[in-house]
Amino acid sequence: MASGRIIFLNGTSSSGKSSIARELLTILDDGVFFHMAVDGFNAMRTKRQLGDEELDAALRRTRMGFHRSIAAMAEAGNDIVVDHVLSEPWRLLDCLTLLPAEDVLFVGVHCPLDELTRRELARGDRPSGLAAHQYERVHSHGDYDLECDTGTASPRECAQRIKEFLPHRSSPTAFTRLRLRHAGSPLR
């Protein structure tokens, strides 16, 4: 069985990843795609209050489980749209280790900081300043197959651009290049 394709959307909180993913599910017509969002995994966690140390450990396990779930779905032949925030280097390293690099279309989702702040306030469901905290970290690895800016393009326009790019992916992919660059890097 062939591995499924993975469209991996990476950007800060409130950058528009989920909106792009929803649009992709409506316009992609060459397979059956599933949207897997890290926020969905976070929502499954217990609602009781956790101390800082316990929460940090639970979040790390959640992210690791999320990464392995993506890999398992793709290995079973499913096409996936991933919605994630790679704000800590170990998250990217874990994904590089687990996911089939040549099957991943790595998409950077950008948005100007002032617009991120406006969206975050409008949403009201994120800690204030979260997107600003993630802003420099999320894209620090510096390599994508494709990049979108939701400050200048709608989620639909970004999704259309991804759809048009998908059959023309370059080889080696960004995941392949990043895997080679980070070979032997410890997961921290």
Side-chain angles (χ1 to χ4, degrees):
M1 174 182 304
S3 182
R5 295 169 291 173
I6 301 170
I7 300 171
F8 196 115
L9 306 174
N10 177 48
T12 65
S13 175
S14 302
S15 63
K17 300 177 306 296
S18 296
S19 298
I20 294 170
R22 284 190 294 274
E23 292 291 343
L24 282 166
L25 293 184
T26 66
I27 67 170
L28 291 170
D29 53 10
D30 66 335
V32 177
F33 281 83
F34 293 85
H35 177 201
M36 294 183 70
V38 72
D39 286 349
F41 273 63
N42 289 334
M44 292 187 275
R45 191 177 59 248
T46 184
K47 301 304 178 213
R48 76 175 173 82
Q49 196 73 302
L50 302 174
D52 289 345
E53 195 172 303
E54 187 179 15
L55 178 61
D56 286 346
L59 289 175
R60 186 174 179 94
R61 287 192 313 270
T62 302
R63 305 300 189 269
M64 291 177 82
F66 177 57
H67 302 160
R68 282 147 184 79
S69 296
I70 296 164
M73 286 288 285
E75 184 180 324
N78 296 294
D79 293 327
I80 311 294
V81 177
V82 175
D83 168 352
H84 203 356
V85 180
L86 297 174
S87 57
E88 297 173 285
W90 77 264
R91 294 179 192 185
L92 175 60
L93 294 175
D94 199 36
C95 289
L96 291 173
T97 300
L98 295 168
L99 303 180
E102 286 301 311
D103 295 329
V104 177
L105 173 64
F106 197 28
V107 180
V109 180
H110 300 274
C111 185
L113 186 54
D114 59 337
E115 177 62 12
L116 287 170
T117 302
R118 187 198 67 73
R119 290 177 187 180
E120 185 175 84
L121 289 170
R123 287 176 75 159
D125 65 349
R126 297 288 191 269
S128 181
L130 179 62
H133 174 73
Q134 297 169 343
Y135 193 73
E136 295 295 327
R137 299 166 185 226
V138 169
H139 304 294
S140 65
H141 56 81
D143 195 356
Y144 288 107
D145 295 304
L146 181 67
E147 298 183 68
C148 297
D149 185 340
T150 62
T152 59
S154 71
R156 182 65 168 221
E157 291 168 330
C158 292
Q160 187 63 42
R161 188 165 172 228
I162 293 166
K163 177 184 177 181
E164 291 168 4
F165 186 83
L166 191 59
H168 307 289
R169 292 179 296 168
S170 61
S171 186
T173 66
F175 251 54
T176 299
R177 293 187 302 269
L178 287 164
R179 183 182 280 174
L180 290 170
R181 188 178 320 147
H182 294 287
S185 296
L187 291 180
R188 288 183 285 250

